Amino acid sequence: MNKYIEIKNAHIHNLKGIDVKIPRNKLTVITGVSGSGKSSLAFDTLYEEGKHRYLMFSNSGFMVEGESAFDQMTGLSPTVAVEQRIIRQSNPRSTVGTKTKISNMLAILFATYGERENKCEGDRPLTMEMFQKNSAKGMCVKCLGKGIVKKIDEEKLFGDGSQKIEDVCLGVGKRGSTKKMLESFYKYYKVTGDTPLNNLTSDELFVLKYGDYGKSSFIGFIPWITEVTNGAFSATGRLEQMLTEAGYMEKGKCPKCQGMGLGEEAIHTSIGGKTISEMEQMYIKDLYEFLSKLSTKNRLIQEILTKLECMIDVGLYHLALSRSLPTLSGGEIQRLFLASYIIADMDAIIFIFDEPTIGLHEIEKAKLIDIIKKLVGKGNTVVAVEHDEGFIRQADYIIDLGPDAGVLGGAKIYEGDFSTFLSCDDSRTAPYLSGKRPFVHKEDYRRFNETKLLTLKNASLHNLKNITVDIPLGVMVGVVGVSGSGKSSLISETLVPKLKALLKSKCIMEDEVEEAIELGQVELLGVSQIKKCYVIDQKPIGRTRTSCLATYTGTMDRIRQLFAKASDLPPGFFSVNAQGGCPKCKGEGEVHYHVGYGNFIHVKCEACEGIGFIPESAEVTLEGKNIKDVLEMSVDEAITFFNDKDEPITNMLETLKRVGMGYIKLGQKTPTISGGESQRIKLAKELSKGQAAKDSLYILDEPTTGLSFYDSEKLMVLLQELVDKGNTVIIIEHDSHVLSSCDYLIEMGAGGGKDGGEVIATGTPRELKENPHSIIGRYLC
């Protein structure tokens, strides 16, 4: 067997024809600045070839020869990859329990050993399906397994007889597909959108509400609202949010199943005094302890305990089996996959990970490294794209790419062991590890006015123990704690909804939030001192395949105008979603073929030769560059190109560069952008507007995710400038270097789940270093 995986002349994306050797049965870390080519080597070259060879020799029945990313690769074995940017989950019914199959095992356990109450009617034997809310036999018939019911206030929606038909339901009848459906109603009943409700007959009003059973194509406002808010046409939840805020819709716990989403048999069947719903809502650590006490001989329980133990080992003890996958961070989902690999007990596999330490406290990273080393010890090869200092120091082998990003990157700077890597002066990473380029840490912390505070009282969501927290304004505040300690519950799920409720339109965020019903008696004082609040999280930006960086930031509109001026064509000819898009691939530039097991083959579209545009659009040029050439430019390249052509475009691009995104291409599809990249792009979008000069609040969730030491330092300089201008920055973080640069820290803990939910230390980084109750203190610089 080959001792190395050898890749010759890797040249995809910005890789400059590099040769690399990756030792088998070792832990290899690929590092370098953001955009240096790490993912291109690990995922687009190594993993894609592994998938290609699997499909070649499997019975998939489908094989496509595309352009190779390299000249030769030897020593390859079955390859598994978990890349954060492609594992975003969108199905709200997919949970931690369903993903790990533990929910299925619990369902079998209850069907076999469950004890029924006398309330159950009939003597139907218990089956596995009765304990699954996604099953027709197991779901609650009222809420269809969701646990919540929505009620539309019809009287309020239609009560004002003077309103026009098109104004019903917040005026949605004036636009989009609803307008088209209403037009068939207008035509059939000979009315117009300007017709007041009072002018309709009782029969016509009934049809407007509930539909006419197919006489026209309008299904009725009530059925339409029900379908849209249940996700029939869209998963964004925007209409539901609008209706709720306007008081037209109420949501509450299903009265039939009490929020469990299950039918009568499951509700009234228990093991050890707990129903399956109660078990799935327990923290994984608590469920493990509970099941351990039930039986040491039951084989099924032992199998469940083995799976739960793996999840605890990878730092997911703070989750519950009922937790929806879309609510998990990229790091949590990746560790969920890691747990499944450990359970499978495989060997001779190549595992590729994308920053597996993301979202972990310093104290938790050591355990994760041990687990990954156990994978190596079983005869597997692990390749990780990683920036974490501790993880890099534990690697058997280092591949450093760079020196910089985009066209200035893609070269192999170093390949070898860690000790020799420390003396590599050409690397942007090694000098930080060797101490030749020390991290810049604060000596003097900003002082804050003790009367200028945000005070959050009675926070008790999830595991928060009815705490009161003071957050100083005008400084940089870091919120830290182990996984499940309550950081997100405190900031993202309590503080942010309260800010949104009090500041309303002055609280700027990508996705609307609902004020959780569990917030209860939570109070937030001091909001009057904030002019605007910007919530900048890691949720994906742009959910369509043709959405890209340029369209999200708004620069694409101005680029289209420039091309329109250079031709006699309208701007729509330079949009893949309008006249300019290739009809065969719908503007994507490639055609997708499903080959089974969730795998797709992406083939360049022959009609447009992969550019996504029709020939008429592609023929128009600006200084020799057509629309596709421009979209292939990195932000750094585009700054030079547009410098004397359009000031707003240049300003937006300069801001993207300042937040460490100079390497990203204007046309990069938003679904392929990682959570950390999404957050920095959102930050740049807001900063480019130049509105918040003072007294604004910025809330960021792990803003340095995906950044090298070099890039993190640049981002922190930008955030410090925001504070220097009189603003407040709150960051949820784990990076000890970043936390050391904060003015004030709030540490949650001491543990996760039921062992967390309290503030264990507050003060400057220096004060936490001296605080015996602080856990992060020992890691601060």
Side-chain angles (χ1 to χ4, degrees):
M1 180 182 287
N2 294 340
K3 291 185 178 180
Y4 292 91
I5 304 162
E6 295 192 54
I7 304 172
K8 299 286 188 182
N9 191 31
H11 50 262
I12 192 170
H13 300 150
N14 67 332
L15 294 180
K16 293 183 168 61
I18 61 173
D19 298 340
V20 296
K21 291 171 62 177
I22 300 172
R24 294 177 59 87
N25 305 330
K26 300 288 184 182
L27 170 57
T28 296
V29 166
I30 302 176
T31 189
V33 300
S34 303
S36 59
K38 302 183 299 299
S39 293
S40 295
L41 178 61
F43 296 101
D44 300 327
T45 303
L46 181 58
Y47 172 59
E48 285 298 323
E49 178 62 12
K51 184 170 70 173
H52 175 88
R53 293 189 186 181
Y54 166 76
L55 292 171
M56 183 186 297
F57 294 107
S58 71
N59 293 320
S60 68
F62 189 88
M63 199 61 237
V64 174
E65 292 294 335
E67 293 183 16
S68 179
F70 57 91
D71 286 354
Q72 183 182 10
M73 189 181 301
T74 58
L76 197 62
S77 58
T79 307
V80 173
V82 184
E83 185 181 8
Q84 289 191 53
R85 67 186 183 187
I86 60 172
I87 58 177
R88 295 284 173 180
Q89 308 290 320
S90 59
N91 182 1
R93 291 205 174 203
S94 184
T95 66
V96 171
T98 59
K99 187 66 181 176
T100 58
K101 309 300 182 186
I102 296 177
S103 287
N104 290 350
M105 297 174 74
L106 281 178
I108 296 171
L109 184 69
F110 271 82
T112 308
Y113 302 103
E115 299 175 1
R116 297 200 213 197
E117 293 180 17
N118 295 329
K119 293 179 183 178
C120 287
E121 297 179 3
D123 294 318
R124 287 198 303 168
L126 295 175
T127 63
M128 173 183 173
E129 291 84 1
M130 293 178 181
F131 298 92
Q132 296 176 310
K133 61 181 69 176
N134 293 336
S135 162
K137 293 182 179 180
M139 68 173 58
C140 168
V141 294
K142 185 172 181 64
C143 66
L144 301 181
K146 293 184 177 180
I148 59 171
V149 289
K150 301 167 187 174
K151 183 179 179 182
I152 301 169
D153 190 334
E154 295 182 25
E155 182 58 36
K156 190 167 184 179
L157 199 61
F158 296 95
D160 182 3
S162 65
Q163 68 175 327
K164 301 172 184 178
I165 295 176
E166 64 182 15
D167 290 330
V168 173
C169 190
L170 307 173
V172 294
K174 294 180 180 179
R175 56 187 181 270
S177 58
T178 322
K179 182 180 180 182
K180 290 181 181 179
M181 285 195 295
L182 272 170
E183 283 172 354
S184 69
F185 172 82
Y186 301 152
K187 184 177 180 180
Y188 190 88
Y189 294 97
K190 295 180 173 56
V191 295
T192 67
D194 292 330
T195 304
L197 296 185
N198 283 337
N199 290 12
L200 298 177
T201 66
S202 59
D203 288 343
E204 289 170 344
L205 184 59
F206 180 90
V207 169
L208 188 67
K209 289 180 179 180
Y210 308 110
D212 55 11
Y213 307 102
K215 292 178 183 177
S216 69
S217 61
F218 183 60
I219 64 175
F221 264 114
I222 302 301
W224 178 80
I225 291 171
T226 301
E227 289 194 18
V228 171
T229 55
N230 282 328
F233 307 119
S234 170
T236 64
R238 178 61 181 155
L239 178 64
E240 183 177 320
Q241 178 73 24
M242 291 165 59
L243 291 171
T244 303
E245 288 183 352
Y248 295 139
M249 177 178 281
E250 293 181 357
K251 283 201 312 181
K253 186 185 292 184
C254 175
K256 185 171 181 64
C257 66
Q258 294 301 307
M260 293 184 185
L262 292 165
E264 291 292 323
E265 288 87 353
I267 291 174
H268 300 297
T269 303
S270 62
I271 292 179
K274 291 188 180 295
T275 65
I276 188 170
S277 183
E278 289 171 332
M279 286 192 190
E280 289 189 331
Q281 289 172 10
M282 297 173 71
Y283 292 116
I284 286 172
K285 181 180 178 182
D286 296 341
L287 179 59
Y288 179 85
E289 293 173 356
F290 175 78
L291 291 177
S292 296
K293 296 174 183 176
L294 286 183
S295 173
T296 56
K297 297 181 180 179
N298 187 299
R299 184 175 176 182
L300 184 54
I301 290 180
Q302 287 303 310
E303 287 185 20
I304 294 172
L305 288 173
T306 300
K307 286 179 176 281
L308 293 174
E309 188 174 14
C310 286
M311 296 179 70
I312 292 170
D313 287 343
V314 297
L316 298 177
Y317 54 86
H318 62 288
L319 299 180
L321 295 179
S322 61
R323 180 79 174 267
S324 175
L325 287 195
T327 67
L328 300 183
S329 68
E332 286 172 332
I333 292 176
Q334 190 169 202
R335 295 199 299 279
L336 200 59
F337 277 74
L338 175 58
S340 67
Y341 300 148
I342 297 169
I343 293 166
D345 198 25
M346 297 184 290
D347 61 23
I349 302 293
I350 299 171
F351 290 99
I352 307 176
F353 291 104
D354 185 7
E355 295 190 77
T357 61
I358 284 176
L360 288 181
H361 188 281
E362 292 293 336
I363 203 169
E364 298 168 310
K365 291 176 183 176
K367 179 173 282 190
L368 179 71
I369 293 170
D370 286 342
I371 291 169
I372 288 179
K373 284 198 165 187
K374 286 179 182 177
L375 273 180
V376 174
K378 289 182 178 180
N380 298 296
T381 302
V382 175
V383 178
V385 173
E386 188 55 88
H387 295 294
D388 181 73
E389 180 179 354
F391 198 100
I392 295 173
R393 290 184 182 277
Q394 292 296 317
D396 301 309
Y397 201 75
I398 303 288
I399 296 174
D400 187 76
L401 301 180
D404 294 306
V407 294
L408 300 178
K412 184 177 72 175
I413 304 301
Y414 175 83
E415 180 180 339
D417 60 42
F418 176 76
S419 58
T420 310
F421 177 54
L422 292 177
S423 59
C424 179
D425 293 333
D426 293 331
S427 168
R428 294 284 186 265
T429 301
Y432 287 95
L433 298 171
S434 65
K436 292 179 181 177
R437 179 170 180 168
F439 291 91
V440 178
H441 296 128
K442 283 189 176 180
E443 296 296 330
D444 298 314
Y445 306 108
R446 297 181 184 89
R447 294 183 180 182
F448 61 89
N449 187 335
E450 294 189 1
T451 63
K452 196 174 181 182
L453 301 168
L454 273 182
T455 300
L456 194 61
K457 291 186 173 183
N458 308 320
S460 55
L461 182 67
H462 301 324
N463 66 333
L464 297 179
K465 296 181 170 63
N466 200 38
I467 60 175
T468 294
V469 182
D470 288 328
I471 303 173
L473 297 175
V475 297
M476 184 176 290
V477 180
V479 182
V480 64
V482 298
S483 300
S485 60
K487 304 183 300 298
S488 294
S489 297
L490 178 68
I491 303 299
S492 302
E493 298 178 69
T494 302
L495 176 63
V496 168
K498 293 300 291 185
L499 285 167
K500 182 64 179 175
L502 295 170
L503 290 172
K504 301 191 183 304
S505 62
K506 293 181 180 179
C507 185
I508 314 298
M509 54 198 309
E510 187 73 16
D511 292 305
E512 299 296 326
V513 297
E514 300 173 13
E515 187 170 350
I517 56 174
E518 300 98 328
L519 291 185
Q521 301 300 313
V522 172
E523 291 183 67
L524 182 59
L525 308 177
V527 179
S528 61
Q529 302 172 89
I530 299 172
K531 289 182 179 178
K532 272 197 175 179
C533 173
Y534 299 89
V535 181
I536 303 166
D537 57 28
Q538 294 197 21
K539 291 178 182 176
I541 58 175
R543 293 168 174 80
T544 64
R545 286 185 180 272
T546 54
S547 174
C548 65
L549 174 71
T551 57
Y552 177 78
T553 57
T555 55
M556 192 65 197
D557 292 334
R558 302 191 68 86
I559 291 172
R560 291 190 193 105
Q561 293 291 342
L562 290 175
F563 274 93
K565 284 182 181 179
S567 67
D568 294 326
L569 298 174
F573 270 78
F574 304 98
S575 169
V576 294
N577 296 317
Q579 302 104 303
C582 169
K584 182 175 181 179
C585 64
K586 296 180 173 57
E588 292 185 49
E590 55 186 17
V591 182
H592 313 282
Y593 297 96
H594 184 248
V595 293
Y597 302 103
N599 287 305
F600 288 83
I601 289 292
H602 312 291
V603 183
K604 181 190 290 186
C605 176
E606 295 178 357
C608 65
E609 297 184 348
I611 67 172
F613 290 90
I614 59 176
E616 295 93 321
S617 305
E619 288 169 2
V620 180
T621 61
L622 284 176
E623 292 186 10
K625 303 288 186 182
N626 68 12
I627 185 69
K628 185 62 176 178
D629 295 331
V630 169
L631 292 176
E632 283 295 314
M633 291 180 180
S634 68
V635 167
D636 286 336
E637 293 173 292
I639 288 172
T640 303
F641 184 77
F642 287 107
N643 187 42
D644 57 351
K645 296 181 182 66
D646 190 285
E647 187 176 350
I649 291 178
T650 306
N651 289 343
M652 180 71 247
L653 297 175
E654 289 283 5
T655 311
L656 281 166
K657 182 176 183 177
R658 292 195 71 200
V659 298
M661 301 302 295
Y663 63 89
I664 198 167
K665 291 183 178 180
L666 298 189
Q668 179 159 339
K669 301 293 193 294
T670 53
T672 69
I673 293 174
S674 71
E677 289 172 330
S678 296
Q679 184 172 215
R680 292 191 294 278
I681 292 168
K682 292 175 189 177
L683 176 62
K685 187 176 179 181
E686 294 303 332
L687 292 177
S688 67
K689 297 174 183 176
Q691 296 173 345
K694 190 178 180 183
D695 294 327
S696 290
L697 171 63
Y698 292 82
I699 300 176
L700 299 97
D701 185 0
E702 297 191 64
T704 60
T705 296
L707 288 183
S708 65
F709 306 127
Y710 179 78
D711 295 305
S712 292
E713 198 167 66
K714 290 195 294 184
L715 178 62
M716 288 305 294
V717 169
L718 177 60
L719 295 179
Q720 297 288 5
E721 286 179 10
L722 279 177
V723 182
D724 288 338
K725 291 178 180 178
N727 300 300
T728 304
V729 173
I730 299 175
I731 53 174
I732 301 173
E733 256 298 347
H734 291 291
D735 189 292
S736 58
H737 296 292
V738 172
L739 292 168
S740 297
S741 295
C742 292
D743 301 299
Y744 188 86
L745 298 178
I746 298 171
E747 184 171 7
M748 303 295 296
K754 68 177 182 180
D755 297 325
E758 295 184 283
V759 178
I760 61 172
T762 60
T764 65
R766 188 179 297 117
E767 288 170 338
L768 261 65
K769 287 177 69 173
E770 299 169 356
N771 188 331
H773 299 292
S774 173
I775 299 172
I776 193 64
R778 72 193 76 164
Y779 300 100
L780 297 175
C781 306

